[in-house]
Amino acid sequence: MPVQHAPGERLALETRTIEVIPDAERHGTPRSQFTLWFGANMQITAIVDGALAVVFGADALWAIPALLIGNVLGGIVMALHSAQGPRLGVPQMISSRAQFGVHGAVLPLLLVILMYLGFAATGSVLAGQALSEMLHIDNTAIGILVFGVLTAVVAVTGYRLIHIAGRIATVVGVLGLGYLLVRVFTQYDVGAHVGIKGFETATFLLAVGLGAGWQLTFGPYVADYSRYLPRDTSTRATFWSTFAGSVIGSQWAMTLGALTAAVAGKAFLTDQVGFLGDLAGPAALAFLIYLVIVVGKLTVNCLNAYGGFMSILTTVTAFDGRSRISAVARAAYIVGFTAVSILIALAASADFLNNFKNFVLLILMVFTPWSAINLVDYYLVSRERVDIPALYDPDGRYGRWNVTALTCYVVGVAVQIPFLATKLYTGAITRRLDGADISWIVGLLVTAALYWLWVRRTADPPAETVHPAATEGTEGTEGTEGTEDTKDTDRVAAPVD
């Protein structure tokens, strides 16, 4: 029977980390994925991402559909990762051990952690500015510190509170960003600033890349937030709920950004928070817009802190053999990660943050080959059959290092270099393409094809998914409903300790 908990337990501290979520603790519906990812994308960094397409030369008339194409293509990849969560019940980067090996999965993890730190630090700066405006404090550092505390509290509390934050961000995001979109049209002559440039292939592809890259960054942790769903949850429903929430939310914010950049020019990028406050109008409305910015950034920053903690723990436990840690250690990991991101935000100059963001955008090249390998293996090679206990055992089915996957991964990263177009590096082929960046397309297709051709004849997936033995009465506070036991069609293995 489903496990029932008192209402007060709904926000109890999460105790699960990287271990398999027992069926008795599974709960929720795919609808929760829509609100989480919609709310996480209705935020100021997505607005800036859309604005960059126009700042870098695209006309908003072409930038907006290009961003949509990128969001859709990247969103498909991102949502396919999310659909793995209910079936496996493990964090996203734990599942990648099935392709790379228990130790081999650490290679992309190290760069994932760096990405989380970068986005958490830059997001803290923007949210800190908004908090300072709300509190009428001249020192942005105070706002950054306050925001850091809020992030740590929500992330430590865990899965349920993060989803609640997503639902709140969905409501305030629709109201706030909807209002700002109306203000753009009422305060500016949008028609006079849109459609004044012709179509340019390079800037169009750049906007496509900005949209796709935005979605691909969610890949390494998206299943972390669907792994509590009951195992019999429809894969299709999980996919579409995640896809719709992420794509609609990001496209809404990016459209606002593209139009804002078109009418305001680079003035918007010099003070994004202040500009949106001024756009809101009277002080009371500006206060509410600052609140919208803080809520949106809090949601996504909690994803960064939670995902960063899970990635660090996945890296550490790959070598010490653990599959779970104490609640105190869990809280310490999250607080430590948040503290480091806040220190970066406080100590860094504006130039450093810009350079750091450029570096983060550069290392996005590591996620497309990782996604290609994970998705090809899970859906086409293993056909959704995974030996879950072996994900925690270096001597198990997946071993310590998978040379095939690691080689394909390195090739997938290297093949993108000539196609890159960033401030840090511009590839030779990119120059011949007038600056058009198609590196992520090349990395995705080449890696997928190479891995598929190499591994399809040698792969040895289990005949059916192997689940840990059902554990009744295990510690944990996350479930209110779920399935009673493992399905009859699943082979049961020994418990994972």
Side-chain angles (χ1 to χ4, degrees):
M1 297 295 292
V3 177
Q4 298 295 328
H5 291 281
E9 292 182 340
R10 291 181 179 274
L11 293 181
L13 291 178
E14 181 183 6
T15 60
R16 297 294 176 183
T17 55
I18 62 169
E19 68 266 35
V20 183
I21 305 302
D23 285 341
E25 296 181 24
R26 304 291 193 94
H27 62 275
T29 66
R31 184 173 59 251
S32 65
Q33 303 304 303
F34 176 88
T35 53
L36 176 67
W37 295 107
F38 186 92
N41 282 283
M42 293 284 280
Q43 45 106 352
I44 190 169
T45 309
I47 296 174
V48 173
D49 195 72
L52 288 175
V54 174
V55 172
F56 289 155
D59 190 285
L61 181 66
W62 297 107
I64 292 172
L67 289 164
L68 177 61
I69 292 172
N71 276 310
V72 168
L73 294 178
I76 291 172
V77 174
M78 178 261 201
L80 285 172
H81 287 301
S82 177
Q84 298 175 22
R87 296 294 300 273
L88 303 181
V90 301
Q92 188 71 72
M93 295 308 291
I94 288 289
S95 71
S96 71
R97 290 175 174 178
Q99 296 84 49
F100 294 91
V102 175
H103 293 170
V106 169
L107 177 61
L109 267 171
L110 296 176
L111 292 172
V112 166
I113 294 168
L114 183 61
M115 181 198 72
Y116 290 149
L117 278 173
F119 282 134
T122 54
S124 296
V125 171
L126 293 172
Q129 291 172 357
L131 276 170
S132 297
E133 293 285 354
M134 291 173 62
L135 302 174
H136 301 289
I137 299 172
D138 293 332
N139 189 353
T140 303
I142 296 177
I144 293 174
L145 289 171
V146 172
F147 183 74
V149 172
L150 292 173
T151 298
V153 168
V154 177
V156 167
T157 303
Y159 183 88
R160 284 186 179 278
L161 188 53
I162 291 174
H163 272 283
I164 290 174
R167 290 195 287 272
I168 295 172
T170 294
V171 175
V172 300
V174 168
L175 295 175
L177 271 62
Y179 171 74
L180 288 176
L181 195 58
V182 171
R183 289 286 291 180
V184 168
F185 281 92
T186 57
Q187 298 301 306
Y188 295 92
D189 183 2
V190 176
H193 296 86
V194 173
I196 58 178
K197 296 181 182 178
F199 176 84
E200 296 178 357
T201 302
T203 55
F204 187 86
L205 290 176
L206 169 65
V208 172
L210 287 170
W214 178 267
Q215 297 292 338
L216 290 172
T217 60
F218 294 127
Y221 63 32
V222 60
D224 296 5
Y225 305 98
S226 60
R227 76 191 198 280
Y228 277 97
L229 292 175
R231 196 194 307 171
D232 59 358
T233 300
S234 166
T235 297
R236 181 173 298 179
T238 305
F239 172 89
W240 284 112
S241 295
T242 305
F243 174 85
S246 191
V247 171
I248 295 173
S250 59
Q251 184 62 30
W252 187 327
M254 290 182 189
T255 298
L256 173 60
L259 292 175
T260 301
V263 299
K266 294 184 179 180
F268 169 65
L269 292 183
T270 60
D271 183 13
Q272 303 98 327
V273 172
F275 184 91
L276 293 180
D278 292 338
L279 179 63
L285 291 174
F287 179 90
L288 293 177
I289 291 301
Y290 294 139
L291 180 61
V292 170
I293 292 173
V294 172
V295 171
K297 288 310 304 179
L298 180 62
T299 301
V300 75
N301 244 42
C302 288
L303 300 185
N304 288 327
Y306 188 91
F309 143 69
M310 297 285 270
S311 296
I312 293 171
L313 187 59
T314 301
T315 300
V316 172
T317 57
F319 298 97
D320 67 16
R322 290 179 297 165
S323 64
R324 61 182 61 146
I325 61 172
S326 69
V328 173
R330 176 185 177 279
Y333 270 105
I334 294 175
V335 171
F337 177 91
T338 304
V340 172
S341 69
I342 294 302
L343 288 174
I344 294 173
L346 290 172
S349 66
D351 288 339
F352 175 85
L353 285 176
N354 287 332
N355 291 333
F356 198 79
K357 284 192 290 185
N358 288 330
F359 176 70
V360 169
L361 292 173
L362 179 63
I363 66 171
L364 289 179
M365 65 189 289
V366 309
F367 300 130
T368 47
W370 173 84
S371 284
I373 291 171
N374 178 268
L375 295 179
V376 167
D377 185 84
Y378 182 78
Y379 289 105
L380 300 181
V381 178
S382 298
R383 297 187 182 277
E384 303 182 39
R385 298 168 296 174
V386 179
D387 186 343
I388 297 176
L391 297 174
Y392 302 87
D393 183 7
D395 298 317
R397 177 187 299 272
Y398 303 116
R400 286 173 167 78
W401 308 89
N402 186 317
V403 175
T404 299
L406 289 169
T407 301
C408 292
Y409 177 74
V410 172
V411 171
V413 172
V415 75
Q416 297 176 70
I417 295 175
F419 298 91
L420 288 175
T422 70
K423 289 186 177 180
L424 295 180
Y425 176 80
T426 300
I429 297 179
T430 300
R431 294 191 184 95
R432 296 185 179 182
L433 296 174
D434 296 325
D437 187 340
I438 59 171
S439 59
W440 65 277
I441 301 175
V442 174
L444 196 66
L445 295 179
V446 170
T447 308
L450 178 61
Y451 185 80
W452 164 250
L453 292 172
W454 191 342
V455 81
R456 63 176 179 168
R457 297 180 183 276
T458 59
D460 182 30
E464 54 191 16
T465 294
V466 181
H467 288 276
T471 53
E472 297 295 339
T474 55
E475 72 277 11
T477 60
E478 285 303 301
T480 57
E481 57 180 331
T483 56
E484 287 186 24
D485 204 337
T486 51
K487 292 182 180 178
D488 293 336
T489 57
D490 296 328
R491 205 174 105 236
V492 178
V496 178
D497 294 322

